[in-house]
Amino acid sequence: MTRAEAKVSSWESDARTDLALLVKTVGYEFRKRIQFRTGFFVREVLNGMVQPLVMLFVFAAIYRSASASGDAADATLGSWQYSEIVRYVAGLLIVMKLVFNARGLDLSAEIFEGRITKYLTMPFRYFVLIQGRFVQFTIMQVVVATLVWCLAYALMGDRWLVPVSWLATGQALTLVLLGSYCCFLLTVILNTLAFWLDVVWSLLVMAWFVISFVGGAIMPVSQMPVWASSAFSWLFPYWMISAPIEILMGRLGTDAFLRGLAIVTVQLVLLDALRRFTWRRGLAHYVGAGM
């Protein structure tokens, strides 16, 4: 066997090991998540639902104040009618459930406490264990979000967000999941800063606020000033939250999806490279005794 063939064989063996470990980790995470019924309901069902519902009350008040008759349904702000805002918030409720939550990782705690040392002696990549949490989260939230959408549609009918086509649904889901993985990578990067800093949780909170604002979780990006919406359209949070909802509503088309796909893919690759860099530098700095 030549050196090149041996290298390919080693790579294939590592890939099979990583895949087997990923499957086992996903199964373990599922069992852990559904072990406590109340905790499961709060984490998996109610996750991402509070903020959109609060937004709905805020927008109702804003649109009523902008209407001459005092009826929110008669008002239009920018290019958005109140009925469109209601559907946007409905889409936000579903999309935000699919976005990876920073609370899903405890990497920084393991670094602080020195517990990560035990994983460094094992014959597998530690990152595969973290990826298992992302995969488990995504599968479960897709199922939960689908059930929530079906229940809400049964109660509200066409007042709920109904995708304009199956193509739009596929495009929106693709952008949300790719953006969610970018969010996951950013969360990993911020957690690895625990090798040097002890303010990781504060950074995670600040980062999530920025992601929510830039992505359109507080208000549609297209309702923001032109300079802001133009700048935010170059960042993955916009294509993870606001743009997929507008694709589902028919306000954006396939050309926007292709642009967003290119932008998110490039940023995903860059974030993964940065994740590898901070991990390697962190391990070189790590003494194995915690902070």
Side-chain angles (χ1 to χ4, degrees), residues 224-232:
M224 298 180 184
V226 175
W227 66 266
S229 59
S230 298
F232 294 167

Side-chain angles (χ1 to χ4, degrees), residues 195-196 273-285:
F195 285 119
W196 300 275
L274 181 58
R275 186 268 306 174
R276 295 172 184 269
F277 174 78
T278 56
W279 177 253
R280 288 196 298 266
R281 291 299 299 270
L283 288 181
H285 176 79

Side-chain angles (χ1 to χ4, degrees), residues 52-66:
L53 294 177
V54 172
M55 282 182 57
L56 192 59
F57 284 103
V58 173
F59 274 114
I62 293 174
Y63 273 79
R64 278 198 301 269
S65 64

Side-chain angles (χ1 to χ4, degrees), residues 112-132:
F112 287 146
E113 299 169 7
R115 290 184 285 118
I116 198 173
T117 305
K118 61 184 179 182
Y119 296 110
L120 304 181
T121 62
M122 297 181 180
F124 56 76
R125 294 190 305 136
Y126 176 72
F127 184 63
V128 178
L129 297 178
I130 304 177
Q131 281 181 313

